[in-house]
Amino acid sequence: MISKGILVLAEHDNHQLKRATANVVSAASQLPGEVVVLVVGMECEAVVEAVSHLSQVKRVLVCEAPSYAEGLAENIAVLVAEFGKAFSYVLAPATTYGKNILPRVAALLDVAQISEITRIIAEDTFVRPIYAGNALATIQSLDPIKVMTVRPAAFKAAPMVSSSAAPIQKLFFAADLKLSHFVTRKSSIAKGPELSSAHVVVAGGRGLQKGENFGLLEDIAQKLGGALGATRAAVDAGFVPNDYQIGQTGKIVAPDLYIAIGISGAIQHLAGMKDSKVIVAINKDPDAPIFQVANYGMVGDLFQILPELSQELAIRIDKT
Amino acid sequence: MKCLVPIKRVIDFNVKVHVKADGSGIDTENVKMSVNPFDEIALEEAVRLKEKGIASEVVAVSVGSNMVSETLRVALARGADRAILVEHVRELESINIAKILKAIVQKEMPVLVIMGKQAIDDDCNQTGQMLAALLGWAQGTYISKLTVHSKDKKVEIEREVDNGLEVLTLALPAVITVDLRLNEPRYISLPNIVRAKNKPLNIVTVQQLGLELKEHTKLLKVEPPVMRRDCIKIKSVKELVDKLIDDKII
C-alpha cells in the first residue's frame, strides 16, 4: 500500500487545543505517510498556532465557518469526509468529540470505523479493547481509507516544538446542513488539571458515602497536582457530576499515579483506569477486586486514612 | 410519531467473559444473553413517549440469528408494539448494521430512531452516528434528557460530553443515542411477558431488503488482557508515601 497520508481531526474549543490531539498525532506518526492535522471551527487562530508547533505535524489545514463553531457533527463530518477521501487514514481522539463525528465520516466514505485503537501492529492491523477491556481484539482493516478513533491514554503525547512551525493552509468549505442547532453548554467547573490527561488522578466511589466527602479527595488531589475522578456508582448517587466518571462508558485514564478510594473495583471501572502506571487502592474490604489490579493496597477506614495522608503529604512534599 | 428502537443481543453484563483458548473470540456457549443495557434504556424512553401520547407506535428491530427472536420477545414484553428480526449469521461491522437499519427505516418511516450509545460487547459506539449519516438525518448522541416538540418537528436533547453537558435541538426525523442516566428501565411484569407472546414478530432476510454487504474488517485474534498486579499491602500512611517517593511517582 502506498500511503496517501494521515489526516488527524484536532479537538479544541476554538480557544485551546485539547491535549488528546497530541496523543493522536503521536499514534499517527507510527503509520506510514505524512501527518496532516485538520482544525475545524470558528476564530480558532490560537488552536492553529498550537497545532503547527506539534512535533511530527507536516501540514495544518484550517477551515473556519460559523456552522463549525459549536462542533456539530453533521456539518463537520461532511467537511472531514470531503477532504479525508484524499488520505489513507482519518484519525480523531476517542473522546465524546471524536466518537460523535468520526462514525459519521466513515459512513459518508462507505468504510468501517475502528474504535479506540490502543496499539498499531501494522499499517492495516490494530488492537482495540472489547468487553470493557476484558479482552483485546486484533483487527485487520480491508478498507482503502482507515477511519479510526485513538484512545489518547494509550499513546504518549507528541511534544510541542517552539523552534519550527508546520505550514498552514486555509480551506474554504462551509457545510451547513441545519439539522441540529446549538443551544447551550453547561460545563462543570473542575479545579486542577483536565481528568483525561492528568498525571495524578484521585478517584472516589460509593465508599465516600456522600458528595461533601469528595472534599477529602480534592484536598489530596490538590496537594499532588492531580485531578478528581469517580466511579459510575458515585456519579449515579449524585456525589459528583457525570464528567468525573471513569470507566467503560466514562473517561479512560492512564496517569502515572491513580489513587482509588472507597472503590470496590467493578470491571466497568477497571476498564477506565487499569493502564495507570502505579495504582494505589484504599478500601475497607480486604477482598475488594480493586486490590487485584493495585500496586499498593491499604485496608482501612478512608475517613481515618485520608486526613492522615493529607497531613503526611503536606509535610513530605514540601521536603522532597 | 413512530419510534424505531434497534436492539442488540449481548452477553449479560453480569457475566464474566472468557476468551476462547484458540484466540478466535469470546466464549458464548451456555452463557446468559440479554438485551444490551443501553438499548433497554432506549426502549424504555420510547415506551414512555408512547404512554405520554407522543409516540404512536414503538417498533423494535434486531439483526442476527434465530436466537435473537428470544431477545426481541423481551423487548416486546418491555412495551414494544411489534418487532422485526433481520436474519443474518455472520458477525457484522457497525457500518453494515447501519445499512440494514437504513433499509428498515425506509420501509417503516419512523420519525425518531432511539438506540443505545454503544453495545457492551464490542464497545464500538458507532451505529447511531452511521445510521444518521446514511439517512442524512440529525444525530443526538449520549443523551441524558429528551424533550419532544412535535408541533415544531424538533426535539431538544441534553448530551453528556467530556466537559459537562451540551443542549442541542434536532430537526425531526432524527437518530438519538442514549446514555445511562436518561431513565431507569422498569421491571417486566408477568402479564406483559404473556402478552408479548402474541405480539407480531416479523422475520426478513438481508437479501429481501435488497442489500449486498461488503466485508470491511477481519478479526485476527482475541486475547485476554494483562490486568493483575502483585499488590503490596501497606500498613501505614507513612509507608505509602515512602513507597511513592521511592518510586519517584510523587
Side-chain angles (χ1 to χ4, degrees), chain B residues 140-184:
Chain B
T141 50
Y142 326 137
I143 73 157
S144 54
K145 205 173 157 190
L146 170 70
T147 318
V148 180
H149 302 284
S150 306
K151 269 190 204 139
D152 305 330
K153 293 200 172 76
K154 65 179 189 188
V155 292
E156 183 172 288
I157 56 155
E158 198 171 270
R159 314 175 52 220
E160 295 198 356
V161 292
D162 283 339
N163 53 353
L165 296 166
E166 191 177 274
V167 181
L168 302 179
T169 58
L170 311 178
L172 290 175
V175 177
I176 56 177
T177 77
V178 310
D179 218 317
L180 290 168
R181 281 169 280 271
L182 179 63
N183 63 47
E184 265 185 54

mmCIF file of all heavy atoms in Angstrom, chain B residues 140-184:
data_model
loop_
_atom_site.group_PDB
_atom_site.id
_atom_site.type_symbol
_atom_site.label_atom_id
_atom_site.label_comp_id
_atom_site.label_asym_id
_atom_site.label_seq_id
_atom_site.Cartn_x
_atom_site.Cartn_y
_atom_site.Cartn_z
ATOM 1 N N GLY B 140 -28.254 12.954 17.689
ATOM 2 C CA GLY B 140 -28.035 13.423 19.060
ATOM 3 C C GLY B 140 -27.475 12.260 19.850
ATOM 4 O O GLY B 140 -28.189 11.300 20.131
ATOM 5 N N THR B 141 -26.180 12.332 20.182
ATOM 6 C CA THR B 141 -25.556 11.185 20.848
ATOM 7 C C THR B 141 -25.428 11.412 22.351
ATOM 8 O O THR B 141 -25.351 12.550 22.811
ATOM 9 C CB THR B 141 -24.155 10.929 20.261
ATOM 10 O OG1 THR B 141 -23.434 12.165 20.262
ATOM 11 C CG2 THR B 141 -24.235 10.411 18.841
ATOM 12 N N TYR B 142 -25.363 10.315 23.097
ATOM 13 C CA TYR B 142 -25.081 10.290 24.551
ATOM 14 C C TYR B 142 -26.084 11.135 25.337
ATOM 15 O O TYR B 142 -25.705 11.896 26.222
ATOM 16 C CB TYR B 142 -23.642 10.768 24.848
ATOM 17 C CG TYR B 142 -22.645 10.386 23.777
ATOM 18 C CD1 TYR B 142 -21.679 11.259 23.316
ATOM 19 C CD2 TYR B 142 -22.705 9.118 23.200
ATOM 20 C CE1 TYR B 142 -20.789 10.900 22.318
ATOM 21 C CE2 TYR B 142 -21.821 8.752 22.200
ATOM 22 C CZ TYR B 142 -20.868 9.646 21.757
ATOM 23 O OH TYR B 142 -20.002 9.297 20.765
ATOM 24 N N ILE B 143 -27.360 11.018 25.010
ATOM 25 C CA ILE B 143 -28.311 11.947 25.620
ATOM 26 C C ILE B 143 -28.721 11.506 27.033
ATOM 27 O O ILE B 143 -28.830 10.322 27.341
ATOM 28 C CB ILE B 143 -29.563 12.187 24.744
ATOM 29 C CG1 ILE B 143 -30.496 10.979 24.748
ATOM 30 C CG2 ILE B 143 -29.203 12.567 23.316
ATOM 31 C CD1 ILE B 143 -31.914 11.370 24.384
ATOM 32 N N SER B 144 -28.945 12.492 27.884
ATOM 33 C CA SER B 144 -29.410 12.232 29.246
ATOM 34 C C SER B 144 -30.767 12.889 29.475
ATOM 35 O O SER B 144 -31.333 12.780 30.556
ATOM 36 C CB SER B 144 -28.395 12.752 30.261
ATOM 37 O OG SER B 144 -28.118 14.107 30.024
ATOM 38 N N LYS B 145 -31.284 13.593 28.462
ATOM 39 C CA LYS B 145 -32.598 14.214 28.585
ATOM 40 C C LYS B 145 -33.178 14.420 27.183
ATOM 41 O O LYS B 145 -32.452 14.787 26.268
ATOM 42 C CB LYS B 145 -32.456 15.573 29.276
ATOM 43 C CG LYS B 145 -33.717 16.026 29.980
ATOM 44 C CD LYS B 145 -33.434 17.287 30.759
ATOM 45 C CE LYS B 145 -34.721 18.051 30.994
ATOM 46 N NZ LYS B 145 -34.448 19.372 31.537
ATOM 47 N N LEU B 146 -34.483 14.163 27.057
ATOM 48 C CA LEU B 146 -35.142 14.297 25.759
ATOM 49 C C LEU B 146 -36.479 15.009 25.933
ATOM 50 O O LEU B 146 -37.283 14.629 26.780
ATOM 51 C CB LEU B 146 -35.387 12.900 25.160
ATOM 52 C CG LEU B 146 -36.279 12.824 23.910
ATOM 53 C CD1 LEU B 146 -35.569 13.420 22.699
ATOM 54 C CD2 LEU B 146 -36.673 11.372 23.623
ATOM 55 N N THR B 147 -36.690 16.064 25.167
ATOM 56 C CA THR B 147 -37.994 16.742 25.146
ATOM 57 C C THR B 147 -38.447 16.826 23.697
ATOM 58 O O THR B 147 -37.706 17.333 22.847
ATOM 59 C CB THR B 147 -37.883 18.173 25.721
ATOM 60 O OG1 THR B 147 -37.052 18.130 26.879
ATOM 61 C CG2 THR B 147 -39.243 18.720 26.092
ATOM 62 N N VAL B 148 -39.646 16.312 23.427
ATOM 63 C CA VAL B 148 -40.141 16.300 22.049
ATOM 64 C C VAL B 148 -41.080 17.480 21.833
ATOM 65 O O VAL B 148 -41.999 17.703 22.630
ATOM 66 C CB VAL B 148 -40.888 14.977 21.737
ATOM 67 C CG1 VAL B 148 -41.406 14.985 20.303
ATOM 68 C CG2 VAL B 148 -39.975 13.782 21.969
ATOM 69 N N HIS B 149 -40.817 18.281 20.796
ATOM 70 C CA HIS B 149 -41.721 19.355 20.395
ATOM 71 C C HIS B 149 -42.330 18.942 19.054
ATOM 72 O O HIS B 149 -41.841 19.343 17.994
ATOM 73 C CB HIS B 149 -40.966 20.682 20.267
ATOM 74 C CG HIS B 149 -40.262 21.095 21.528
ATOM 75 N ND1 HIS B 149 -40.931 21.628 22.603
ATOM 76 C CD2 HIS B 149 -38.964 21.021 21.894
ATOM 77 C CE1 HIS B 149 -40.055 21.893 23.570
ATOM 78 N NE2 HIS B 149 -38.862 21.525 23.169
ATOM 79 N N SER B 150 -43.382 18.119 19.117
ATOM 80 C CA SER B 150 -43.941 17.524 17.893
ATOM 81 C C SER B 150 -44.404 18.590 16.905
ATOM 82 O O SER B 150 -44.191 18.460 15.700
ATOM 83 C CB SER B 150 -45.125 16.622 18.226
ATOM 84 O OG SER B 150 -44.755 15.677 19.176
ATOM 85 N N LYS B 151 -45.043 19.655 17.428
ATOM 86 C CA LYS B 151 -45.595 20.691 16.543
ATOM 87 C C LYS B 151 -44.523 21.358 15.714
ATOM 88 O O LYS B 151 -44.704 21.637 14.532
ATOM 89 C CB LYS B 151 -46.320 21.754 17.386
ATOM 90 C CG LYS B 151 -47.797 21.408 17.572
ATOM 91 C CD LYS B 151 -48.534 22.580 18.193
ATOM 92 C CE LYS B 151 -49.770 22.082 18.911
ATOM 93 N NZ LYS B 151 -49.983 22.745 20.195
ATOM 94 N N ASP B 152 -43.370 21.636 16.366
ATOM 95 C CA ASP B 152 -42.273 22.303 15.665
ATOM 96 C C ASP B 152 -41.388 21.312 14.918
ATOM 97 O O ASP B 152 -40.370 21.697 14.362
ATOM 98 C CB ASP B 152 -41.402 23.095 16.653
ATOM 99 C CG ASP B 152 -42.223 24.075 17.462
ATOM 100 O OD1 ASP B 152 -43.237 24.541 16.922
ATOM 101 O OD2 ASP B 152 -41.851 24.350 18.616
ATOM 102 N N LYS B 153 -41.764 20.043 14.973
ATOM 103 C CA LYS B 153 -40.969 18.992 14.322
ATOM 104 C C LYS B 153 -39.515 19.024 14.783
ATOM 105 O O LYS B 153 -38.578 18.998 13.972
ATOM 106 C CB LYS B 153 -41.041 19.126 12.794
ATOM 107 C CG LYS B 153 -42.421 18.844 12.213
ATOM 108 C CD LYS B 153 -42.293 18.518 10.729
ATOM 109 C CE LYS B 153 -43.581 18.034 10.127
ATOM 110 N NZ LYS B 153 -44.569 19.089 9.880
ATOM 111 N N LYS B 154 -39.329 19.106 16.098
ATOM 112 C CA LYS B 154 -37.958 19.052 16.603
ATOM 113 C C LYS B 154 -37.926 18.457 18.017
ATOM 114 O O LYS B 154 -38.964 18.359 18.675
ATOM 115 C CB LYS B 154 -37.317 20.440 16.585
ATOM 116 C CG LYS B 154 -37.961 21.445 17.511
ATOM 117 C CD LYS B 154 -37.235 22.785 17.438
ATOM 118 C CE LYS B 154 -37.756 23.713 18.524
ATOM 119 N NZ LYS B 154 -37.245 25.078 18.409
ATOM 120 N N VAL B 155 -36.740 18.065 18.437
ATOM 121 C CA VAL B 155 -36.545 17.605 19.808
ATOM 122 C C VAL B 155 -35.427 18.427 20.435
ATOM 123 O O VAL B 155 -34.531 18.900 19.738
ATOM 124 C CB VAL B 155 -36.167 16.102 19.889
ATOM 125 C CG1 VAL B 155 -37.311 15.211 19.468
ATOM 126 C CG2 VAL B 155 -34.918 15.785 19.068
ATOM 127 N N GLU B 156 -35.524 18.587 21.751
ATOM 128 C CA GLU B 156 -34.401 19.199 22.461
ATOM 129 C C GLU B 156 -33.737 18.099 23.278
ATOM 130 O O GLU B 156 -34.416 17.319 23.944
ATOM 131 C CB GLU B 156 -34.873 20.330 23.376
ATOM 132 C CG GLU B 156 -33.688 21.015 24.049
ATOM 133 C CD GLU B 156 -34.068 22.273 24.824
ATOM 134 O OE1 GLU B 156 -34.395 23.295 24.198
ATOM 135 O OE2 GLU B 156 -34.040 22.203 26.070
ATOM 136 N N ILE B 157 -32.434 18.024 23.177
ATOM 137 C CA ILE B 157 -31.711 16.979 23.900
ATOM 138 C C ILE B 157 -30.617 17.583 24.762
ATOM 139 O O ILE B 157 -30.101 18.659 24.478
ATOM 140 C CB ILE B 157 -31.052 15.962 22.934
ATOM 141 C CG1 ILE B 157 -30.134 16.677 21.933
ATOM 142 C CG2 ILE B 157 -32.096 15.121 22.223
ATOM 143 C CD1 ILE B 157 -29.051 15.838 21.375
ATOM 144 N N GLU B 158 -30.299 16.843 25.846
ATOM 145 C CA GLU B 158 -29.149 17.203 26.655
ATOM 146 C C GLU B 158 -28.158 16.060 26.486
ATOM 147 O O GLU B 158 -28.527 14.903 26.636
ATOM 148 C CB GLU B 158 -29.598 17.323 28.110
ATOM 149 C CG GLU B 158 -28.664 18.082 28.984
ATOM 150 C CD GLU B 158 -29.289 18.339 30.353
ATOM 151 O OE1 GLU B 158 -29.961 19.368 30.540
ATOM 152 O OE2 GLU B 158 -29.114 17.466 31.226
ATOM 153 N N ARG B 159 -26.917 16.362 26.108
ATOM 154 C CA ARG B 159 -25.912 15.331 25.857
ATOM 155 C C ARG B 159 -24.849 15.334 26.942
ATOM 156 O O ARG B 159 -24.425 16.395 27.384
ATOM 157 C CB ARG B 159 -25.179 15.571 24.525
ATOM 158 C CG ARG B 159 -25.979 15.898 23.337
ATOM 159 C CD ARG B 159 -25.055 16.207 22.151
ATOM 160 N NE ARG B 159 -24.089 15.139 21.959
ATOM 161 C CZ ARG B 159 -22.809 15.343 21.648
ATOM 162 N NH1 ARG B 159 -22.340 16.564 21.504
ATOM 163 N NH2 ARG B 159 -21.984 14.324 21.486
ATOM 164 N N GLU B 160 -24.385 14.146 27.303
ATOM 165 C CA GLU B 160 -23.271 14.045 28.241
ATOM 166 C C GLU B 160 -21.976 14.065 27.442
ATOM 167 O O GLU B 160 -21.703 13.161 26.668
ATOM 168 C CB GLU B 160 -23.374 12.755 29.050
ATOM 169 C CG GLU B 160 -24.588 12.734 29.954
ATOM 170 C CD GLU B 160 -24.490 11.696 31.060
ATOM 171 O OE1 GLU B 160 -23.513 10.939 31.093
ATOM 172 O OE2 GLU B 160 -25.416 11.654 31.883
ATOM 173 N N VAL B 161 -21.197 15.134 27.606
ATOM 174 C CA VAL B 161 -19.924 15.238 26.891
ATOM 175 C C VAL B 161 -18.782 15.315 27.902
ATOM 176 O O VAL B 161 -19.016 15.429 29.107
ATOM 177 C CB VAL B 161 -19.905 16.449 25.933
ATOM 178 C CG1 VAL B 161 -20.869 16.239 24.785
ATOM 179 C CG2 VAL B 161 -20.222 17.741 26.661
ATOM 180 N N ASP B 162 -17.535 15.251 27.395
ATOM 181 C CA ASP B 162 -16.381 15.127 28.285
ATOM 182 C C ASP B 162 -16.270 16.229 29.327
ATOM 183 O O ASP B 162 -15.780 15.999 30.418
ATOM 184 C CB ASP B 162 -15.088 15.077 27.459
ATOM 185 C CG ASP B 162 -14.879 13.703 26.835
ATOM 186 O OD1 ASP B 162 -15.468 12.740 27.346
ATOM 187 O OD2 ASP B 162 -14.151 13.605 25.844
ATOM 188 N N ASN B 163 -16.694 17.447 28.982
ATOM 189 C CA ASN B 163 -16.533 18.518 29.971
ATOM 190 C C ASN B 163 -17.857 19.035 30.509
ATOM 191 O O ASN B 163 -17.977 20.189 30.876
ATOM 192 C CB ASN B 163 -15.691 19.657 29.389
ATOM 193 C CG ASN B 163 -16.260 20.140 28.069
ATOM 194 O OD1 ASN B 163 -17.208 19.531 27.550
ATOM 195 N ND2 ASN B 163 -15.734 21.223 27.541
ATOM 196 N N GLY B 164 -18.869 18.208 30.532
ATOM 197 C CA GLY B 164 -20.134 18.605 31.136
ATOM 198 C C GLY B 164 -21.326 18.168 30.313
ATOM 199 O O GLY B 164 -21.423 17.013 29.915
ATOM 200 N N LEU B 165 -22.251 19.108 30.088
ATOM 201 C CA LEU B 165 -23.465 18.801 29.337
ATOM 202 C C LEU B 165 -23.625 19.800 28.211
ATOM 203 O O LEU B 165 -23.188 20.945 28.308
ATOM 204 C CB LEU B 165 -24.690 18.890 30.262
ATOM 205 C CG LEU B 165 -24.764 17.892 31.407
ATOM 206 C CD1 LEU B 165 -25.822 18.316 32.410
ATOM 207 C CD2 LEU B 165 -25.056 16.494 30.890
ATOM 208 N N GLU B 166 -24.274 19.346 27.142
ATOM 209 C CA GLU B 166 -24.489 20.216 25.986
ATOM 210 C C GLU B 166 -25.959 20.085 25.598
ATOM 211 O O GLU B 166 -26.498 18.989 25.590
ATOM 212 C CB GLU B 166 -23.593 19.699 24.853
ATOM 213 C CG GLU B 166 -23.481 20.593 23.666
ATOM 214 C CD GLU B 166 -22.503 20.010 22.647
ATOM 215 O OE1 GLU B 166 -21.289 20.252 22.779
ATOM 216 O OE2 GLU B 166 -22.960 19.296 21.746
ATOM 217 N N VAL B 167 -26.606 21.203 25.317
ATOM 218 C CA VAL B 167 -28.011 21.177 24.906
ATOM 219 C C VAL B 167 -28.089 21.533 23.423
ATOM 220 O O VAL B 167 -27.511 22.526 22.981
ATOM 221 C CB VAL B 167 -28.859 22.156 25.745
ATOM 222 C CG1 VAL B 167 -30.330 22.095 25.319
ATOM 223 C CG2 VAL B 167 -28.728 21.842 27.233
ATOM 224 N N LEU B 168 -28.791 20.687 22.658
ATOM 225 C CA LEU B 168 -28.968 20.917 21.225
ATOM 226 C C LEU B 168 -30.445 20.746 20.881
ATOM 227 O O LEU B 168 -31.172 20.054 21.587
ATOM 228 C CB LEU B 168 -28.196 19.888 20.390
ATOM 229 C CG LEU B 168 -26.686 19.724 20.529
ATOM 230 C CD1 LEU B 168 -26.211 18.607 19.604
ATOM 231 C CD2 LEU B 168 -25.961 21.006 20.213
ATOM 232 N N THR B 169 -30.880 21.370 19.783
ATOM 233 C CA THR B 169 -32.164 20.982 19.209
ATOM 234 C C THR B 169 -31.876 20.273 17.889
ATOM 235 O O THR B 169 -30.939 20.626 17.177
ATOM 236 C CB THR B 169 -33.090 22.185 18.958
ATOM 237 O OG1 THR B 169 -32.421 23.102 18.097
ATOM 238 C CG2 THR B 169 -33.465 22.882 20.240
ATOM 239 N N LEU B 170 -32.672 19.244 17.612
ATOM 240 C CA LEU B 170 -32.505 18.465 16.393
ATOM 241 C C LEU B 170 -33.789 18.555 15.580
ATOM 242 O O LEU B 170 -34.884 18.418 16.128
ATOM 243 C CB LEU B 170 -32.249 16.990 16.704
ATOM 244 C CG LEU B 170 -31.185 16.618 17.741
ATOM 245 C CD1 LEU B 170 -31.160 15.095 17.912
ATOM 246 C CD2 LEU B 170 -29.812 17.105 17.304
ATOM 247 N N ALA B 171 -33.630 18.756 14.277
ATOM 248 C CA ALA B 171 -34.790 18.708 13.395
ATOM 249 C C ALA B 171 -35.218 17.244 13.259
ATOM 250 O O ALA B 171 -34.382 16.349 13.218
ATOM 251 C CB ALA B 171 -34.401 19.272 12.031
ATOM 252 N N LEU B 172 -36.535 17.005 13.235
ATOM 253 C CA LEU B 172 -37.043 15.652 13.020
ATOM 254 C C LEU B 172 -37.234 15.407 11.532
ATOM 255 O O LEU B 172 -37.558 16.352 10.802
ATOM 256 C CB LEU B 172 -38.368 15.468 13.770
ATOM 257 C CG LEU B 172 -38.246 15.427 15.297
ATOM 258 C CD1 LEU B 172 -39.624 15.377 15.939
ATOM 259 C CD2 LEU B 172 -37.406 14.251 15.753
ATOM 260 N N PRO B 173 -37.045 14.176 11.052
ATOM 261 C CA PRO B 173 -36.667 12.968 11.796
ATOM 262 C C PRO B 173 -35.202 13.005 12.245
ATOM 263 O O PRO B 173 -34.388 13.689 11.648
ATOM 264 C CB PRO B 173 -36.893 11.859 10.761
ATOM 265 C CG PRO B 173 -36.721 12.529 9.437
ATOM 266 C CD PRO B 173 -37.215 13.927 9.607
ATOM 267 N N ALA B 174 -34.917 12.220 13.300
ATOM 268 C CA ALA B 174 -33.566 12.229 13.858
ATOM 269 C C ALA B 174 -33.225 10.869 14.466
ATOM 270 O O ALA B 174 -34.112 10.061 14.741
ATOM 271 C CB ALA B 174 -33.454 13.313 14.923
ATOM 272 N N VAL B 175 -31.927 10.658 14.652
ATOM 273 C CA VAL B 175 -31.435 9.472 15.371
ATOM 274 C C VAL B 175 -30.862 9.963 16.694
ATOM 275 O O VAL B 175 -30.045 10.886 16.700
ATOM 276 C CB VAL B 175 -30.316 8.752 14.577
ATOM 277 C CG1 VAL B 175 -29.776 7.573 15.370
ATOM 278 C CG2 VAL B 175 -30.824 8.299 13.209
ATOM 279 N N ILE B 176 -31.300 9.359 17.796
ATOM 280 C CA ILE B 176 -30.662 9.710 19.064
ATOM 281 C C ILE B 176 -30.091 8.460 19.721
ATOM 282 O O ILE B 176 -30.630 7.371 19.585
ATOM 283 C CB ILE B 176 -31.616 10.451 20.034
ATOM 284 C CG1 ILE B 176 -32.875 9.644 20.305
ATOM 285 C CG2 ILE B 176 -31.985 11.825 19.508
ATOM 286 C CD1 ILE B 176 -33.782 10.308 21.306
ATOM 287 N N THR B 177 -28.938 8.631 20.392
ATOM 288 C CA THR B 177 -28.353 7.501 21.119
ATOM 289 C C THR B 177 -28.301 7.875 22.596
ATOM 290 O O THR B 177 -27.973 9.006 22.949
ATOM 291 C CB THR B 177 -26.947 7.121 20.605
ATOM 292 O OG1 THR B 177 -25.977 8.049 21.097
ATOM 293 C CG2 THR B 177 -26.896 7.060 19.083
ATOM 294 N N VAL B 178 -28.652 6.915 23.445
ATOM 295 C CA VAL B 178 -28.905 7.245 24.850
ATOM 296 C C VAL B 178 -27.746 6.847 25.757
ATOM 297 O O VAL B 178 -27.046 5.869 25.528
ATOM 298 C CB VAL B 178 -30.209 6.590 25.348
ATOM 299 C CG1 VAL B 178 -31.349 6.885 24.386
ATOM 300 C CG2 VAL B 178 -30.061 5.090 25.537
ATOM 301 N N ASP B 179 -27.570 7.628 26.804
ATOM 302 C CA ASP B 179 -26.587 7.344 27.830
ATOM 303 C C ASP B 179 -27.286 6.768 29.059
ATOM 304 O O ASP B 179 -28.514 6.698 29.112
ATOM 305 C CB ASP B 179 -25.808 8.626 28.174
ATOM 306 C CG ASP B 179 -24.336 8.323 28.436
ATOM 307 O OD1 ASP B 179 -24.077 7.325 29.131
ATOM 308 O OD2 ASP B 179 -23.467 9.067 27.952
ATOM 309 N N LEU B 180 -26.482 6.416 30.056
ATOM 310 C CA LEU B 180 -27.012 5.685 31.209
ATOM 311 C C LEU B 180 -28.037 6.434 32.036
ATOM 312 O O LEU B 180 -28.920 5.838 32.634
ATOM 313 C CB LEU B 180 -25.849 5.324 32.143
ATOM 314 C CG LEU B 180 -24.883 4.278 31.630
ATOM 315 C CD1 LEU B 180 -23.651 4.247 32.508
ATOM 316 C CD2 LEU B 180 -25.565 2.919 31.618
ATOM 317 N N ARG B 181 -27.910 7.743 32.097
ATOM 318 C CA ARG B 181 -28.726 8.470 33.066
ATOM 319 C C ARG B 181 -30.014 9.047 32.485
ATOM 320 O O ARG B 181 -30.664 9.872 33.105
ATOM 321 C CB ARG B 181 -27.874 9.563 33.724
ATOM 322 C CG ARG B 181 -26.976 8.995 34.807
ATOM 323 C CD ARG B 181 -25.945 9.975 35.292
ATOM 324 N NE ARG B 181 -24.830 10.043 34.372
ATOM 325 C CZ ARG B 181 -23.751 9.253 34.430
ATOM 326 N NH1 ARG B 181 -23.654 8.349 35.364
ATOM 327 N NH2 ARG B 181 -22.789 9.370 33.566
ATOM 328 N N LEU B 182 -30.400 8.586 31.291
ATOM 329 C CA LEU B 182 -31.643 9.078 30.697
ATOM 330 C C LEU B 182 -32.862 8.621 31.495
ATOM 331 O O LEU B 182 -33.783 9.393 31.756
ATOM 332 C CB LEU B 182 -31.752 8.615 29.242
ATOM 333 C CG LEU B 182 -33.001 9.031 28.484
ATOM 334 C CD1 LEU B 182 -33.086 10.544 28.343
ATOM 335 C CD2 LEU B 182 -33.052 8.372 27.102
ATOM 336 N N ASN B 183 -32.872 7.368 31.881
ATOM 337 C CA ASN B 183 -34.002 6.839 32.666
ATOM 338 C C ASN B 183 -33.595 5.535 33.330
ATOM 339 O O ASN B 183 -32.500 5.030 33.079
ATOM 340 C CB ASN B 183 -35.232 6.618 31.774
ATOM 341 C CG ASN B 183 -34.980 5.572 30.696
ATOM 342 O OD1 ASN B 183 -34.456 4.489 30.970
ATOM 343 N ND2 ASN B 183 -35.339 5.896 29.455
ATOM 344 N N GLU B 184 -34.483 5.008 34.175
ATOM 345 C CA GLU B 184 -34.244 3.678 34.734
ATOM 346 C C GLU B 184 -35.308 2.734 34.218
ATOM 347 O O GLU B 184 -36.492 2.901 34.534
ATOM 348 C CB GLU B 184 -34.272 3.736 36.256
ATOM 349 C CG GLU B 184 -32.892 3.898 36.838
ATOM 350 C CD GLU B 184 -32.897 3.824 38.348
ATOM 351 O OE1 GLU B 184 -33.420 2.841 38.903
ATOM 352 O OE2 GLU B 184 -32.400 4.791 38.956
#
